[in-house]
Amino acid sequence: MTNETSGGRAPRHEGRRRTAVGAGVGLLVVGASLGFGELAAGLFRVTSPVVTVGDALVDNSPPLLMEWAISLFGTADKAVLIAGILSVLVLVGAVLGIMASIRPAVGYVGPGLFTAAGLAAVALRRSDDPGAAAAVVAGAVAGAAALTLLLRAERRRFGPEGGRETGTPADTGGDPLPAPAPEEYRGPGRRGLVITAAGVLAVSGSAGVLGRLSALAGADAASRPGAALPIPARPLSDLPPGTDLGVPGLTPFTTPERDFYRIDTALTIPRVDSSRWRLRVHGMVDRPFEIDMDELMTRDVIEADITLACVSNQVGGDLIGNTRWLGFPLADLLREAGVRSDADQILSTSTDGWTCGTPTEAVMDGRDALLAVGMGGAPLPHVHGYPARMVVPGLYGFVGATKWVTDIKLTRFADERSYWARRGWGVQAPIKTMSRVDVPAPLGRVEAGDVVLAGVAWAQHRGIDAVEVRVDDGDWREAELAEVPGIDTWVQWIAETTVGPGVHSVEVRATDSTGYTQTAERVDPIPDGATGRHRIRFTAD
Ligand SMILES: Nc1nc2c(c(=O)[nH]1)N[C@H]1C(S)=C(S)[C@@H](COP(=O)(O)O)O[C@H]1N2
Ligand SMILES: [Mo]
């Protein structure tokens, strides 16, 4: 006990305690930066520092790293990235906090790094959110302020330097003051530190919660886009009866909005104000133009049933969804602009800087390529591209489905490369003929006897001609196909079999209207879509 007050010869455990307190101070400083960063982000309606850094990392990480992350974490990759950033902050914060307990000035490297990383990320992001810098600075200032308060309290508790207490010879230039009694001294010093720490924690925590709440309130106000939908001159007829077989466990023909897969590089969903939205059509065109939503609404609008699919979808995967889209034929807009014949690429850009290269040919060949404003009878939700996105039947999303699109530039594949093309993905990426078993559920259990087999198959813009299944590697048998409204959607299939108790397999293959039958050869999604056949196992008892 008495050892604790003997200057310069602090026992081990006092050193350890000091290290722990240093780490704690570092964490509190990180907490203050994060809390006030969130508060500023919420109040100023800008991106929070952590998300800004995350966005910059996503956009600037090597393609291989990204693929690895996506393959490992799937659509949870964003949460993992944020968790990773927070872990680094915690680690760096703790280390700097410990160092600052010896050399206080070192602590300020923390807020300095926070500022540097945050501002670099703001600069790297080509998106238009320079205001995010304000949140970075607010966070750094709060961190520095918290550090100053905590260091002062820490010094009162432990003394100015490692293990030494106030009032020791080191502190008073060799003129020793009488050492205070341990209880008297440590009492207020410890209490002061605890009170300061608790205060910093409470204030930063409240700032963080307040920031998140106000960000959520802002998001909520805009969460359900309310714009009135244009009415098509010739509405599409209802889906033909029999598109949905209604088999329990089978993917419904129309994907409910809440189940529609989401894929994009955005860490926070862009919330575009439709009254400020503008679309620019330019590049290799004779009559470049720019329109806003009101002008767009005066054009002819159509409906189309289109199944959208992601190139990253694995065999048997569910990064695919079908709905009825409402939108403006892209071909009409391009004809208005007058596309030059050698412009083979439509390079579209979204508000968040993501770019997409679509073959001009695919948009102009008569298919229902859309600048969509609605899906499933409602305006596009923010997450799916409000107020306007592209949808091109037959092409994977990364080459034809730009969400939050504001810029369409006619160019050449030889001259400009899109976001994913720059990262090694394909340039021409028509959706590959594919099929999936939904029923029985993979690794599911059924009763032995008659068993229903069902699933979906797709070959958008070619159409599915046949689906075959085989059980336990037996003979291929043709499945029955449900109705479809056209060639741009998936189709449900159904078959029956009789099995005894035990483990069984079901394999499926589709043939499209060109006569091509889905290959068994397994190929990875990169660069232009997976191939292979979906085969599941189930148990009958
Ligand atoms: N702005 C933007 N649009 C985008 C993407 C993106 O990262 N950013 N991803 C594309 C990809 S890879 C796919 S598969 C589809 C997915 O559309 P959804 O999220 O509406 O299902 O959006 C496309 N449009
Ligand atoms: Mo995708």
Side-chain angles (χ1 to χ4, degrees), residues 263 309-312 397-398:
I263 292 287
C310 181
V311 68
S312 300
F398 81 113

Side-chain angles (χ1 to χ4, degrees), residues 27-43:
L27 294 184
L28 286 170
V29 170
V30 168
S33 299
L34 290 178
F36 280 86
E38 291 299 321
L39 180 63
L43 294 182

